[in-house]
Amino acid sequence: MKFITKRKLRIVRDYIIGWTLAFIFLSIVRGIGTIEVSSVQFQFWQSISISILFGLIFGGLSGIAQLIIEEKLYRRISILKLTLLRLITIILLLLLIIVLAYYIVTTFLGESKGLIAFAGEAGSFAIYFYIIMVDLFLGFLRQINLMLGENNLKNYFLGKFYTPREEKRIFMFIDLQSSTTHAENLGHIKYSKMLQDCFIDLGVVVENEAEIYQYVGDEVILTWRLNDGIRNNNCVNAFYNFKNQLLKKESYYLKNYGVLPFFKAGLNSGIVTVTEVGKHKKEIAYHGDTINTAARIQEKCNIYEKELLISETLKKALHTNKFSFTKLGNLLLKGKDKEVSIYSIQNKIGE
């Protein structure tokens, strides 16, 4: 991993919490109202302490393994192969836990039998099966979280999307330039592969706290809570980080597709309504004029030959010397009654 980010720490934290709770649950089930069949006997609170220790170690290692799989292998192999790889990983971690547990019982509890005999104790294989199932379950939850969007799973379980509510948000509509030409030149299959690669590279925006709301054809909608998007100019930096990521891989795109993809984007902020929609296929949806305006602003990029446009509302909320803004005029956007002032953005550093 290149560097530590809040997102990566959050993933490791979630795995630590998940594994700690799983081990504590196992201690409660095995320690209250049951008789331990193995020769090693733990007092209940002793077992809880060991569960917390194992949760920290096992959860941390499991979370790091998940990060490596997501960042290095997710697009290279199928979900089935990923599951098998994850199974191999958890078995290796399980062996580490067995060795650690053996060290604890021989050092502090006076156990004298060998490692193999300890690992094959009566009832041990039920625990091993439990650990494997817990890991697969946590991996399943992680995949659901990726599908719903980072952090939405918790809010979904808490029912925060069941009733429509208002939020102050920033939206960015980011669209591939000359998409029709690319599709004609590359053909539909190769064009789709190029979009896949572009959207994988778009993953860098999560380091700017962006939430990927929707993929619509060759267009992506990003969103931030207002404070998250303004902080450190995240909403603007996300675009340039994505652009720089594509430039870093210029040779790859030219070799495979004969073109370096170029994207244009429009930004706006305001109040939107967020709610859960659908019955047979549920989705978290945002509604409101803020989103429509962001889409209309993005459509003006071609007219003004600019790669990034921003509304005056959002410009006023940003406090930065890194970017320069040029007013393009007061435009009456399609579907709106009032004019909206639009600005182009230039990055003063490295542009």
Side-chain angles (χ1 to χ4, degrees), residues 169-175 199 202-206 208-215 219-225 234-240 242 265-268 286 291 294:
R169 279 194 167 264
I170 298 170
F171 281 86
M172 174 189 285
F173 278 69
I174 184 166
D175 185 56
F199 292 161
L202 182 66
V204 297
V205 301
V206 299
N208 299 106
E209 302 186 65
E211 301 172 29
I212 299 176
Y213 170 41
Q214 282 183 342
Y215 297 97
E219 184 177 69
V220 185
I221 306 173
L222 306 181
T223 183
W224 293 259
R225 291 182 182 274
N234 275 324
C235 62
V236 179
N237 284 328
F239 176 82
Y240 288 109
F242 176 43
L267 276 162
N268 186 37
Y286 295 96
I291 304 174

Side-chain angles (χ1 to χ4, degrees), residues 157-176:
F157 277 130
L158 293 175
K160 290 188 176 182
F161 300 122
Y162 186 75
T163 302
R165 59 190 176 88
E166 290 186 336
E167 289 185 356
K168 291 182 179 179
R169 279 194 167 264
I170 298 170
F171 281 86
M172 174 189 285
F173 278 69
I174 184 166
D175 185 56
L176 177 65

Side-chain angles (χ1 to χ4, degrees), residues 271-287:
I271 296 176
V272 296
T273 302
V274 57
T275 187
E276 174 189 325
V277 296
K279 179 180 179 181
H280 299 293
K281 183 185 182 299
K282 294 184 179 296
E283 184 174 325
I284 298 167
Y286 295 96
H287 303 128

Side-chain angles (χ1 to χ4, degrees), residues 6 37 45 50 52 62 102 106 109 123 162 193 212 220 224 240 242 254 271 281 290 292 306:
K6 289 195 296 183
V37 297
W45 288 110
I50 294 175
I52 294 173
S62 185
Y102 179 72
T106 54
L109 300 179
Y162 186 75
K193 288 182 178 179
I212 299 176
V220 185
W224 293 259
Y240 288 109
F242 176 43
L254 291 176
I271 296 176
K281 183 185 182 299
T290 298
N292 299 330
K306 301 293 183 181

Side-chain angles (χ1 to χ4, degrees), residues 323-345:
F323 305 101
S324 61
F325 301 87
T326 303
K327 186 173 182 179
L328 301 179
N330 297 317
L331 305 177
L332 183 61
L333 300 174
K334 184 172 63 176
K336 292 187 65 67
D337 296 327
K338 296 182 179 180
E339 291 185 334
V340 175
S341 296
I342 296 179
Y343 292 76
S344 63
I345 307 177

